[in-house]
Amino acid sequence: MSLQHVRLIDLPRILDPRGNLTFIESGNHIPFDIRRVYYLYDVPGGAHRGGHGHKALHQLMIAMSGSFDVLLDDGRTKFKYHLNRSYYGLYIPPMMWREIDNFSSGSVCMVLASDHYDESDYYREYADFLRDAQGGNK
Ligand code: TYD
């Protein structure tokens, strides 16, 4: 997978004076079935998260509250996204190194994932990720 497969998905919004509503349906709005949801919260100022890649996992990342930066790297090119709206989801396909930082105070990063947590799906070392990403065997 390359950065060309990454996209910012404009999620449906039901605008209402009582408060807006957004929904996400597997298959309709995102190109994978959701098998796990996790979120980062109470992130202290200056913290860095991520710093890993996934071999097969598809993810959608949303700033549910506040904002943060997501640096994506496909082993050849890097691109930084700033997420700050709860109706935009950043689709991250497999084989993408990610670094998340610049969290605003009180921000919440929610991630929808295509599979359960599995440590064997992670690249924890950048050199290992680069070897496979640049080898083109994924
Ligand atoms: P990790 O994915 O490394 O977090 P980040 O990339 O945001 O810094 O996960 C941190 C720890 O949490 C690690 O020990 C694995 C554990 N974890 C789970 O048990 N289940 C999960 O769904 C996730 C995402 C992490």
Side-chain angles (χ1 to χ4, degrees):
M1 290 285 185
S2 77
L3 273 173
Q4 290 171 0
H5 299 99
V6 172
R7 56 199 168 94
L8 209 49
I9 298 178
D10 195 357
L11 297 164
R13 268 177 277 170
I14 310 292
L15 303 179
D16 189 311
R18 299 171 300 160
N20 301 332
L21 183 153
T22 282
F23 56 95
I24 304 166
E25 296 174 351
S26 297
N28 280 340
H29 307 110
I30 57 172
F32 59 87
D33 286 338
I34 300 160
R35 297 198 69 204
R36 175 167 52 115
V37 177
Y38 67 91
Y39 34 94
L40 301 172
Y41 55 98
D42 291 348
V43 179
H48 291 246
R49 302 291 314 220
H52 65 252
H54 285 285
K55 297 172 185 170
L57 195 71
H58 297 252
Q59 294 178 306
L60 187 84
M61 187 174 287
I62 304 173
M64 297 303 283
S65 182
S67 64
F68 47 84
D69 291 339
V70 187
L71 178 74
L72 295 180
D73 173 354
D74 64 7
R76 298 174 198 280
T77 312
K78 300 178 190 197
F79 195 85
K80 186 180 276 191
Y81 289 85
H82 181 65
L83 297 186
N84 62 355
R85 293 282 182 266
S86 49
Y87 51 83
Y88 280 131
L90 180 63
Y91 168 61
I92 306 175
M95 295 304 292
M96 209 58 62
W97 190 265
R98 85 285 316 275
E99 311 272 354
I100 315 167
D101 63 8
N102 196 25
F103 288 90
S104 68
S105 112
S107 57
V108 178
C109 169
M110 184 178 77
V111 181
L112 312 183
S114 63
D115 214 337
H116 294 169
Y117 171 74
D118 175 7
E119 186 60 35
S120 70
D121 185 65
Y122 278 74
Y123 288 100
R124 293 290 188 185
E125 297 295 331
Y126 187 64
D128 296 340
F129 167 76
L130 268 191
R131 184 198 57 226
D132 287 354
Q134 296 185 339
N137 56 351
K138 291 277 175 183

